[in-house]
């Protein structure tokens, strides 16, 4: 069954208000709601809700009712999301990747696992984050350093994708992990990957549209927060992310191009975090910060 995106195009100010209204309407249900900047100069934003095809008849009138309360002129648009296995296409010919003590590999490379490896098996699937990209590999390397050096009692994997980072934390230390994503398909794939890696408990996978979900308050504050997303949303969410970080806690940020590093650091320094280290991989950076 196809996944559907219903969305409206609006300004940033209106997008934030619509997101709040949508969260009130759908916040306790398993729908992903998100805002996306389309054109910075023209102030064009989209507010989207993701659902399966058989849910559209029930969700579309509720979305319309939310808009009519304050934005009656906004028009709901519809997009069918292509059922394309992007990771399967990108993984052809890729080899196992080492990052710290981790070895991320496909099922066809199980023979490459060495006795002391922390092996994570991730095959092609419909979610980002296989370990081959510089951002994911950088996160794995820093996770290894942080968990080895500090007492981590709980963790958050924000934007979990394939679940590889949540699985990595759980393989290193048996602490509760909350793993969230705005895409319900990614959450389903991440759960399957956790089972494949024999991590059958300890990770709570949730579909959550940012920090509007009650899951964060239920599980936090967190000693370790990992967010492998993109620079612009990372900068925007800095105050909320830091608000969910425990005293002395660590934050690992990635999805950041090297030239964006200083802007991201500035946002998180301004939110009260201190820079510990930066790892550079293939034009991307992974940043480790701490709350003092």
């Amino acid at each position: 069954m196809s996944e559907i995106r219903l969305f409206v195009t609006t300004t940033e100010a209106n997008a934030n208000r619509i997101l709040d209204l949508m969260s009130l309407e759908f916040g306790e249900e398993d729908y992903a709601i998100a805002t996306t900047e389309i054109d910075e100069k023209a102030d064009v934003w989209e507010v989207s809700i993701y659902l399966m095809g058989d849910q559209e008849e029930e969700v579309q009138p509720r979305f319309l009712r939310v808009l009519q309360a304050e934005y009656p002129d906004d028009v709901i648009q519809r997009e069918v999301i292509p059922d394309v296995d992007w990771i399967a296409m990108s993984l052809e010919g890729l080899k196992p990747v080492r990052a710290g003590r981790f070895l991320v590999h496909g099922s066809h490379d199980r023979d490459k696992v060495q006795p002391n490896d922390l092996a994570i098996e991730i095959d092609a699937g419909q979610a980002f984050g296989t370990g081959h990209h510089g951002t994911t590999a950088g996160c794995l390397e820093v996770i290894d350093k942080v968990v080895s050096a500090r007492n981590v009692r709980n963790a958050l994997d924000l934007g979990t994708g394939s679940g590889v980072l949540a699985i990595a934390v759980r393989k290193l230390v048996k602490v509760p992990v909350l793993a969230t994503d705005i895409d319900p398909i990614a959450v389903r794939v991440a759960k399957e990957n956790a089972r494949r890696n024999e991590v059958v408990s300890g990770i709570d996978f949730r579909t959550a549209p940012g920090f509007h979900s009650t899951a964060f308050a239920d599980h936090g504050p967190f000693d370790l927060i990992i967010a492998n997303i993109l620079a612009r949303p990372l900068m925007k969410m800095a105050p909320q992310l830091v608000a969910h970080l425990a005293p002395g806690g660590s934050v690992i940020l990635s999805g950041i191009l090297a030239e964006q590093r200083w802007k991201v650091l500035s946002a998180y320094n301004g939110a009260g975090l201190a820079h510990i280290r930066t790892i550079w991989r293939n034009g991307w950076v992974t940043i480790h910060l701490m709350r003092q």
Side-chain angles (χ1 to χ4, degrees), residues 238-254:
Q240 290 177 297
L241 189 150
V242 173
H244 288 81
L245 185 66
S250 286
V251 172
I252 300 171
L253 305 176
S254 201

Side-chain angles (χ1 to χ4, degrees), residues 37-67:
E37 185 180 53
I38 304 302
D39 187 328
E40 180 180 9
K41 291 183 179 179
D43 190 23
V44 179
W45 287 66
E46 288 180 353
V47 184
S48 305
I49 182 167
Y50 295 82
L51 56 141
M52 302 310 294
D54 62 351
Q55 299 171 316
E56 186 174 7
E57 185 176 349
E58 188 267 336
V59 171
Q60 199 270 353
R62 293 171 63 189
F63 190 1
L64 182 61
R65 188 165 61 247
V66 167
L67 291 176

Side-chain angles (χ1 to χ4, degrees), residues 23-39:
S23 298
L24 289 173
E25 175 70 26
F26 296 103
E28 299 300 319
E29 301 172 56
D30 193 26
Y31 296 111
I33 309 164
T35 58
T36 306
E37 185 180 53
I38 304 302
D39 187 328

